[in-house]
Amino acid sequence: MDWNRTKTIFIIVFSILNVFLYWLYLDRQMGVGNMQILGKTSVEETLALENITYDPIPFNKKDVSYLSAHLATFPTEKLEELSDQSVVLIEKSRLLSHMKKDVKVIEEKGDYDFDEFLKKYVLNGKDYVLWDVDEEERSAVFFQRVKNETIFYSPNAMLIMHWDKEGKVTHYEQRMLDEFLSFNHKKDLLSQDDAVSSLVTRGYLKPDSTVMQVKSGYSTLVQLTETQVFAPTWNVQVKLKDGTIEHYFINAIEGKVIEFQTDMLEEPTE
C-alpha cells in the first residue's frame, strides 16, 4: 500500500469537504440559497400571459450528491499514442495539438461529424460531447462528461477544436478532470418543473419563447488550484421567437440561477 499517496488523497478530500462546508455556511447565512418558485397556478398564469410554451416533464424523485474532481495531467506514455499530430504540454495539464494529417470534420453536405476525430485522435475523446459550433470562427467547443452527465462550462473539462476553410482540423486544445468522487449524498433533486418555475419567477424567460428541453449535468461550485467541487445542475434550453437558442442553468439542489462567464472559456493557444 502506497501510504504517501493514500495520505495525500485523504488530505485533498478533507480540504474539499472543509471548503464546501464553509461555502455552505456562508451561503445559508446570506440567504442566497432561498429558491424563488411561484405556486403552480401562478407559474401557469405567467406562462400564458407571456405566451411561453412549456410542457410539464414527468419527474422521478431521487437523491443526488455533489462531485469532486482533480485536474488531470497527461502522461508521456499516453501522448505517444496520439498519431499524426504534434503535441505540446503546458504545465502537464493543458494539451495543445497541431494536426499533421488532413482530417475533415465537415461533410460534403455541410454537416458536422466530429465523432470519428474524437475517437481516433483525442485522448479519452469518447468522454467529450459537442456543446457549440462557431461557424464564423471555424471552431467547436466540447464539454467533458462523467457518469453520462455533462460538466457545464468548466475550463478544466473542455476541448476546443479549430479547422480551416476546407473543414480540415488544424489544431485543438484539451483539458480534462479525473479522480471523480461523490460525497454529501441524500440531497433531494429539484424537478425540471421547479427549474423552469425558478426562471419564470425571476423573469428570465422571454415572451413568445418555447422551453425545448431540460437536461441534467454538473456545474462548478468550488474551485481550488487543482481540485473542483461540482453541483448537480439543470440546463434549460429555450428557443426564442427568432429561432435563437438560449441556455439557462439552475443549481438542481438549491434552485439558484447560475450565470457563466462564457467569454473566458478559450485561452489563446501558444
Side-chain angles (χ1 to χ4, degrees), residues 3-270:
W3 172 245
N4 287 330
R5 177 178 173 77
T6 302
K7 182 172 64 175
T8 300
I9 292 175
F10 273 111
I11 292 174
I12 292 174
V13 171
F14 282 113
S15 296
I16 295 171
L17 184 58
N18 286 336
V19 172
F20 171 76
L21 291 176
Y22 180 64
W23 174 88
L24 192 61
Y25 168 77
L26 291 180
D27 185 65
R28 290 182 175 179
Q29 287 294 104
M30 296 175 65
V32 297
N34 294 329
M35 183 175 66
Q36 302 175 21
I37 296 180
L38 296 174
K40 183 177 181 180
T41 302
S42 297
V43 170
E44 292 176 348
E45 290 176 350
T46 302
L47 291 173
L49 183 64
E50 298 291 338
N51 193 30
I52 298 172
T53 302
Y54 171 65
D55 295 324
I57 301 173
F59 175 69
N60 295 321
K61 187 175 181 179
K62 62 179 181 179
D63 293 337
V64 293
S65 63
Y66 292 92
L67 187 72
S68 69
H70 191 269
L71 181 62
T73 58
F74 295 90
T76 303
E77 60 271 19
K78 287 293 184 180
L79 298 182
E80 294 174 353
E81 299 176 6
L82 297 174
S83 60
D84 302 313
Q85 53 191 295
S86 175
V87 176
V88 175
L89 274 185
I90 299 177
E91 297 180 352
K92 296 184 179 181
S93 61
R94 180 183 173 199
L95 185 153
L96 302 179
S97 174
H98 287 77
M99 298 301 298
K100 295 180 179 179
K101 180 180 179 180
D102 292 340
V103 182
K104 296 189 67 173
V105 291
I106 301 180
E107 300 176 343
E108 293 183 1
K109 295 182 179 180
D111 298 327
Y112 295 97
D113 183 5
F114 300 107
D115 292 343
E116 189 66 17
F117 184 88
L118 293 174
K119 180 180 178 180
K120 293 184 62 175
Y121 300 101
V122 177
L123 288 177
N124 298 341
K126 61 181 177 58
D127 294 336
Y128 291 84
V129 62
L130 177 65
W131 178 255
D132 183 53
V133 173
D134 188 327
E135 295 184 350
E136 184 176 344
E137 295 293 330
R138 296 194 294 273
S139 66
V141 174
F142 301 80
F143 290 162
Q144 187 177 352
R145 289 172 62 85
V146 57
K147 300 179 179 180
N148 294 320
E149 300 285 356
T150 302
I151 302 175
F152 301 119
Y153 286 102
S154 170
N156 293 325
M158 189 179 302
L159 183 145
I160 303 174
M161 182 189 302
H162 303 264
W163 54 87
D164 59 20
K165 293 181 180 179
E166 298 178 350
K168 300 174 182 177
V169 177
T170 55
H171 60 286
Y172 68 87
E173 175 180 342
Q174 179 185 10
R175 294 185 182 183
M176 64 181 180
L177 298 167
D178 61 11
E179 298 183 22
F180 292 95
L181 176 67
S182 298
F183 67 98
N184 203 16
H185 292 270
K186 297 183 179 179
K187 294 292 184 180
D188 290 337
L189 180 71
L190 297 177
S191 70
Q192 297 97 316
D193 290 352
D194 285 341
V196 174
S197 296
S198 185
L199 291 174
V200 172
T201 302
R202 294 173 169 88
Y204 278 89
L205 300 188
K206 297 179 176 63
D208 304 313
S209 60
T210 301
V211 177
M212 302 296 292
Q213 58 184 347
V214 185
K215 290 186 175 181
S216 60
Y218 289 97
S219 62
T220 302
L221 185 65
V222 179
Q223 179 169 336
L224 305 177
T225 304
E226 295 185 353
T227 306
Q228 287 183 247
V229 176
F230 298 94
T233 300
W234 287 119
N235 167 216
V236 182
Q237 300 178 28
V238 181
K239 185 176 182 179
L240 304 185
K241 186 177 181 180
D242 63 2
T244 302
I245 301 296
E246 291 188 341
H247 291 269
Y248 299 95
F249 301 87
I250 306 290
N251 184 306
I253 293 177
E254 302 169 9
K256 294 187 299 182
V257 178
I258 304 167
E259 297 186 3
F260 297 102
Q261 292 180 286
T262 58
D263 59 334
M264 298 177 63
L265 289 183
E266 183 174 1
E267 297 181 15
T269 55
E270 299 181 8

